Amino acid sequence: MPKVFLLIVLIWPVAAALLLHFVRGKAARALALGASLIELALVVAMTTQFVPNSQVQFELNYPWLESAGINFHIGVDGLSLLLVLLTAFLVPLILLASFRHDYENPSAFYALVLFMQTGLLGVFVALDAFVFYFFWEVALIPIYFLAGVWGGERRVPVTLKFFIYTVVGSLFMLAGFVYLYYMTGANGAVRSSDLDAFYNLNLSAAEQSWVFLLIFAAFAVKMPIFPLHSWQPDTYTEAPTPATMLLSGIMLKMGIYGTMRWVLPVLPKGVSIWADYVMVLAVIGIIYGAIIAIRQRDMKRLVAFSSLSHVGLMIAGMFSLTAVGLQGTTIQMLAHGVNVVGLFFIIDIIQRRTGTRQIPELGGLTRATPLLSVTFLVLVLGTVALPLTNGFVGEFLLLMGVFQYNAWLGAVAGLTIIFGAVYLLRMFQRVMLGPDTSFSALIKDLTASELAVLVPLIVLVFWIGLFPGTFLHLSEPAINKLLVLINR
């Protein structure tokens, strides 16, 4: 397969986004969905040609600012390929889920979704620091408008808060990248912003310590990690459901992936200095997010805090710096993306049919909605890590990694499974199985288009749970290479 194939995968969504400005109404929906399905087909074709090893494949490396040593350098290994697959898989489902709403100016709405897809893909395939930063910012712009224009009543202050958090964090990351870039030119060498050049730097522990803080700041906000999380629940709640799906299903993975790619192997001494602090904050986030989720009455906010708790476990597993912890983080990124997108879609379905997502106002919905009940339950069980579902594989590996790092932290982190069962199963019980309400007999079951969104997600819940080797086999060589770089 020609090297330019990855470039086609990268620019196809933004090309389709530009075409959307020439169509209106339902034609915009059809074009956006068609473009996203073509993108999925391209990514699947690329995956079939991928050889599971530690080498970067489909690599392109062209001069961008040649005099400054900055190249347009992109490529994929097993780690980045899984996230490219996740993005290409979820975007068509998110677009299809949005068809139930009549958004004002749909051409702009769907164009922003596709434009954001290019930004997300660029982050996952970038092998040059400034290319990575460019796509990092490109992914931010569409979500700002999606949430700020089509969001809820409090969309303006909430979106502004999110924007300030992410932009400030991004500026810290840029400062760290600039410092690393200049250090590649030490002793008369040619400066370069290439990832391999960063790997070959020989910085002191003190230098790596404060550069770690600069770069990790941006990733910590995006994941987010406690206490930099305050933008998340409000943004998830106020943003339109497709934007919430993009934020939770894919965009937060940018921070986790960025840490694995641009922090752990580039600044191993800095990581060793700060790892204990990050682990403690991650475990605090696990417990804090779960406790706040238990107290929520709004289903959307409950899932938002649930996401904070589950991301805390991913961060802890990642900073255990073990093979099982890093593999657990990788597989859990996929599982979390599938589950959280499905849960937000289920909540959107219930809200559209009943006019509310307040748990105390709902009950007895399962009587008239067997299909909705089954799909809802499967996604809940996947999220609470029931064996044979996708969440179990990731959480098992993550907890193994945290236990290897510190048994006490592992024991506390393990509470996420108990807490998750409490707030998610209780939400399901009250909404679907609770006392009958005025909605019990009137609510309609899933339509064919809604099943078209949920069935692929359910398939992935069981595929990842039953055959995790399909995905772990792809990422294992890349993870082993990361460990060699971290421990060098």
Side-chain angles (χ1 to χ4, degrees):
M1 188 171 288
K3 290 184 176 182
V4 76
F5 192 81
L6 182 59
L7 184 62
I8 296 172
V9 168
L10 184 59
I11 65 174
W12 171 251
V14 74
L18 294 175
L19 289 175
L20 277 169
H21 290 287
F22 299 99
V23 296
R24 295 291 182 269
K26 292 184 178 180
R29 295 179 177 182
L31 177 58
L33 180 60
S36 67
L37 290 173
I38 291 172
E39 177 73 2
L40 176 58
L42 291 171
V43 172
V44 169
M46 184 175 71
T47 304
T48 61
Q49 300 299 312
F50 182 82
V51 180
N53 58 39
S54 61
Q55 301 302 312
V56 173
Q57 299 174 43
F58 307 105
E59 188 174 7
L60 282 174
N61 192 1
Y62 292 124
W64 191 8
L65 298 173
E66 189 172 6
S67 60
I70 299 173
N71 291 348
F72 187 81
H73 190 188
I74 59 175
V76 294
D77 61 5
L79 174 60
S80 53
L81 178 64
L82 288 179
L83 291 168
V84 169
L85 272 169
L86 178 68
T87 304
F89 173 75
L90 289 181
V91 168
L93 300 181
I94 292 170
L95 287 169
L96 185 57
S98 71
F99 288 5
R100 307 299 296 175
H101 295 272
D102 292 321
Y103 293 107
E104 185 179 353
N105 196 354
S107 297
F109 183 90
Y110 295 117
L112 286 169
V113 173
L114 292 176
F115 188 69
M116 184 176 175
Q117 185 178 17
T118 287
L120 293 166
L121 292 170
V123 166
F124 298 139
V125 303
L127 297 174
D128 180 280
F130 293 114
V131 174
F132 177 87
Y133 180 79
F134 170 78
F135 283 111
W136 181 275
E137 295 302 302
V138 164
L140 172 63
I141 296 169
I143 201 66
Y144 174 78
F145 287 104
L146 286 170
V149 176
W150 288 276
E153 293 181 0
R154 297 179 55 243
R155 63 185 181 276
V156 174
V158 166
T159 305
L160 181 61
K161 181 180 181 180
F162 163 69
F163 188 76
I164 291 172
Y165 262 83
T166 51
V167 167
V168 171
S170 297
L171 291 176
F172 281 122
M173 176 175 65
L174 179 61
F177 280 166
V178 169
Y179 181 81
L180 294 176
Y181 165 74
Y182 273 97
M183 291 307 296
T184 61
N187 302 318
V190 178
R191 291 193 179 98
S192 173
S193 55
D194 195 84
L195 180 60
D196 285 334
F198 285 7
Y199 286 164
N200 293 327
L201 286 172
N202 187 23
L203 302 180
S204 67
E207 287 176 301
Q208 291 196 25
S209 176
W210 66 264
V211 174
F212 169 91
L213 291 177
L214 288 174
I215 298 177
F216 186 65
F219 302 148
V221 168
K222 194 73 75 179
M223 288 186 269
I225 189 172
F226 178 90
L228 302 175
H229 69 282
S230 62
W231 64 267
Q232 185 202 41
D234 289 337
T235 306
Y236 281 20
T237 303
E238 294 298 322
T241 298
T244 303
M245 291 175 172
L246 287 166
L247 278 167
S248 59
I250 309 173
M251 196 170 190
L252 73 78
K253 313 304 185 295
M254 289 167 51
I256 300 172
Y257 171 82
T259 303
M260 295 177 72
R261 181 70 74 197
W262 294 93
V263 174
L264 301 185
V266 174
L267 305 165
K269 296 176 184 176
V271 171
S272 66
I273 292 171
W274 292 104
D276 287 344
Y277 298 97
V278 175
M279 289 287 285
V280 170
L281 290 177
V283 173
I284 291 173
I286 292 171
I287 304 304
Y288 171 82
I291 291 174
I292 300 300
I294 291 172
R295 298 178 59 85
Q296 294 305 305
R297 299 161 61 90
D298 184 318
M299 287 194 291
K300 207 172 183 184
R301 289 185 70 85
L302 185 151
V303 175
F305 280 107
S306 166
S307 182
L308 173 65
S309 181
H310 283 88
V311 167
L313 182 58
M314 283 187 261
I315 297 168
M318 176 170 56
F319 273 85
S320 71
L321 304 180
T322 61
V324 290
L326 290 169
Q327 279 284 61
T329 302
T330 304
I331 199 74
Q332 192 66 1
M333 281 194 284
L334 302 182
H336 179 267
V338 169
N339 293 336
V340 78
V341 165
L343 286 174
F344 277 124
F345 185 50
I346 290 285
I347 293 168
D348 183 61
I349 291 171
I350 293 173
Q351 184 179 7
R352 280 189 288 106
R353 284 173 171 52
T354 64
T356 182
R357 57 174 187 257
Q358 296 296 315
I359 296 172
E361 298 175 9
L362 297 165
L365 301 187
T366 194
R367 295 181 184 278
T369 59
L371 292 175
L372 176 64
S373 301
V374 170
T375 53
F376 194 4
L377 182 60
V378 169
L379 290 166
V380 165
L381 293 177
T383 307
V384 301
L386 184 76
L388 305 183
T389 65
N390 56 358
F392 175 77
V393 180
E395 293 207 3
F396 179 76
L397 294 175
L398 288 168
L399 289 173
M400 281 184 62
V402 180
F403 265 103
Q404 288 181 24
Y405 184 88
N406 184 288
W408 288 104
L409 286 176
V412 177
L415 294 175
T416 184
I417 297 176
I418 299 172
F419 286 139
V422 170
Y423 56 75
L424 286 167
L425 291 176
R426 187 171 67 171
M427 175 182 69
F428 180 84
Q429 187 275 330
R430 290 184 176 181
V431 172
M432 306 304 295
L433 306 174
D436 286 352
T437 62
S438 58
F439 308 115
S440 301
L442 300 176
I443 188 170
K444 295 180 180 179
D445 208 354
L446 296 177
T447 64
S449 63
E450 290 165 345
L451 282 171
V453 175
L454 290 168
V455 168
L457 296 174
I458 299 301
V459 170
L460 261 292
V461 168
F462 290 111
W463 188 356
I464 297 174
L466 293 170
F467 308 104
T470 308
F471 307 94
L472 295 173
H473 178 61
L474 288 175
S475 60
E476 184 178 10
I479 295 299
N480 290 336
K481 182 179 179 180
L482 281 181
L483 284 170
V484 170
L485 292 168
I486 292 167
N487 296 318
R488 69 186 187 277

